[in-house]
Amino acid sequence: MLQAVNGEKTDRPPFWLMRQAGRYLPEYRATRAEAGSFLDLCYSPKLAEEVTLQPLRRYDMDAAILFADILLIPDALGQPLAYKEGEGPVLDPIRSESDLKSLSLDNLHTRLAPVYETVDRLSGSIPDHCTLIGFAGAPWTVATYMVEGRGSKDYVNIKKWMYSDPAGFSKLIDILVETTVEYLTKQVEAGAEIIQIFDTWAGVLPDNEFNTWVIQPTKRIVDSLRQRFPGLPIIGFPKGVGGNLDAFVKGTGVSAVSLDTGVSLDWAAATIQPQVTVQGNLDPILLVTGGQAMVDRIHHIHQTLKNGPFIFNLGHGIIPQTPPENVALLAETVKGLKN
């Protein structure tokens, strides 16, 4: 995994899967019930370590990704957060510069200390051949939840603030850049070997706003982390951005980029892979489907991307309806590939 993320060719593509610890596994559901709530699970180092290890025991991935959530940062900044059944995350929305007074960095590391302990525990408990990935949400994506107060389909409130008061909105982004750097610094100090930055909603921005709210904040995080940890591998995942992926790679300085399911593989091989390692991009619904259709697509993805640095993954996270045996078939298939 470390070889591939640093741009080297490997004998076979390493693999891990976004949301590999999750509700599709019965052992995860049992541990989640034991924790009491999703947030309690995130903040319990022993249980968060356990659910991170569960998919490794079954499928022997090449990387473990810390079990946490991108909204732990607003929670640690003092924005009330709850996860409601059938609704997902719900926050008290922040919609103007004056609302920023409710946020404070004072308790950031105290609140997030259990996450750092989870990373520390995992650095000693994952298999030797396995690489530990830490992560955070990108400022734009975290801000969408903070401003909308929940998941959104149209992003009216955040875009309205962004357009009407860019100077005020940029102060929220500045807070998120600073706290994300501090959060990821602690993860690396605790043992994370690679960082992934998830920008799930980067694709909802128009072309002329993409540089301001996606590329530049990500670049600031990458630059700050590299000043502290020269050579730190960082994977970016700006989902749904189409051709803007090229500008993202050129502008941010990431070591690798995760391809969502909609990215053309031929284009990625010709345009993106000569610049950085690519990661992806099997459709998560094909993992639900399984069978020969999935195996054929795995081989096609590999054929197209095997001539450059490549990490096998999904185009987004595993969904709860996924049969565990399909993940086993994926793991067996990927381990049999030859670059």
Side-chain angles (χ1 to χ4, degrees), residues 25-81:
L25 289 176
E27 57 266 42
Y28 170 88
R29 295 194 295 273
T31 309
R32 164 77 173 73
E34 183 186 341
S37 77
F38 179 73
L39 269 181
D40 288 335
L41 178 55
C42 290
Y43 286 129
S44 166
K46 183 181 174 189
L47 297 182
E49 176 192 26
E50 166 59 20
V51 294
T52 304
L53 292 172
Q54 285 169 353
L56 304 183
R57 294 188 193 117
R58 277 188 182 246
Y59 310 116
D60 192 28
M61 282 93 171
D62 296 299
I65 183 162
L66 162 72
F67 184 85
D69 190 78
I70 65 168
L71 297 184
L72 298 188
I73 280 186
D75 183 61
L77 287 170
Q79 185 177 16
L81 167 68

Side-chain angles (χ1 to χ4, degrees), residues 15 20 36 45 47 56-57 59 74 101 139 154 193 202 206-207 225 235 238 247 252 267 274 286 290 301 308:
F15 83 105
Q20 63 191 27
L47 297 182
L56 304 183
R57 294 188 193 117
Y59 310 116
K101 294 195 292 286
D154 47 29
E193 299 166 275
D207 186 63
L225 289 173
I235 305 170
T252 59
W267 176 80
L286 202 42
I301 292 168

Side-chain angles (χ1 to χ4, degrees), residues 120-301:
D120 182 59
R121 294 173 72 111
L122 285 165
S123 68
S125 60
I126 62 172
D128 289 343
H129 69 273
C130 200
T131 302
L132 182 56
I133 302 172
F135 78 93
W140 167 258
T141 287
V142 175
T144 63
Y145 288 97
M146 295 176 76
V147 176
E148 297 295 335
R150 61 186 65 234
S152 177
K153 290 182 179 173
D154 47 29
Y155 304 91
V156 169
N157 294 296
I158 189 167
K159 287 188 175 184
K160 204 167 141 189
W161 184 8
M162 173 191 85
Y163 286 132
S164 64
D165 179 21
F169 180 65
S170 70
K171 291 180 181 175
L172 172 58
I173 296 297
D174 289 345
I175 290 168
L176 290 172
V177 168
E178 180 184 353
T179 54
T180 302
V181 169
E182 291 302 314
Y183 180 46
L184 292 175
T185 293
K186 291 288 190 184
Q187 290 187 34
V188 176
E189 288 174 347
E193 299 166 275
I194 296 172
I195 292 299
Q196 176 148 321
I197 300 171
F198 287 86
D199 214 345
T200 312
W201 305 123
V204 307
L205 279 166
D207 186 63
N208 61 322
E209 301 287 349
F210 185 73
N211 179 64
T212 304
W213 307 118
V214 171
I215 292 177
Q216 291 308 313
T218 303
K219 181 183 190 303
R220 288 164 61 195
I221 293 168
V222 170
D223 288 350
S224 295
L225 289 173
R226 292 262 175 75
Q227 283 173 1
R228 298 177 185 195
F229 310 103
L232 175 69
I234 301 171
I235 305 170
F237 184 29
K239 182 173 173 284
V241 302
N244 278 331
L245 195 60
D246 188 33
F248 178 88
V249 167
K250 287 181 167 73
T252 59
V254 293
S255 325
V257 70
S258 204
L259 311 175
D260 63 69
T261 300
V263 173
S264 159
L265 293 180
D266 289 334
W267 176 80
T271 307
I272 305 300
Q273 210 172 16
Q275 304 178 68
V276 293
T277 300
V278 295
Q279 174 177 276
N281 74 339
L282 186 76
D283 188 345
I285 308 305
L286 202 42
L287 185 58
V288 177
T289 309
Q292 196 59 45
M294 180 184 77
V295 170
D296 289 347
R297 184 63 182 173
I298 291 170
H299 283 290
H300 177 74
I301 292 168

Side-chain angles (χ1 to χ4, degrees), residues 68 75 92 95 174 186 218-219 268 314 316 321 335 337:
D75 183 61
D92 289 355
R95 292 187 178 161
D174 289 345
K186 291 288 190 184
T218 303
K219 181 183 190 303
L314 303 178
H316 199 209
Q321 300 93 316
K335 286 175 190 174
L337 298 173

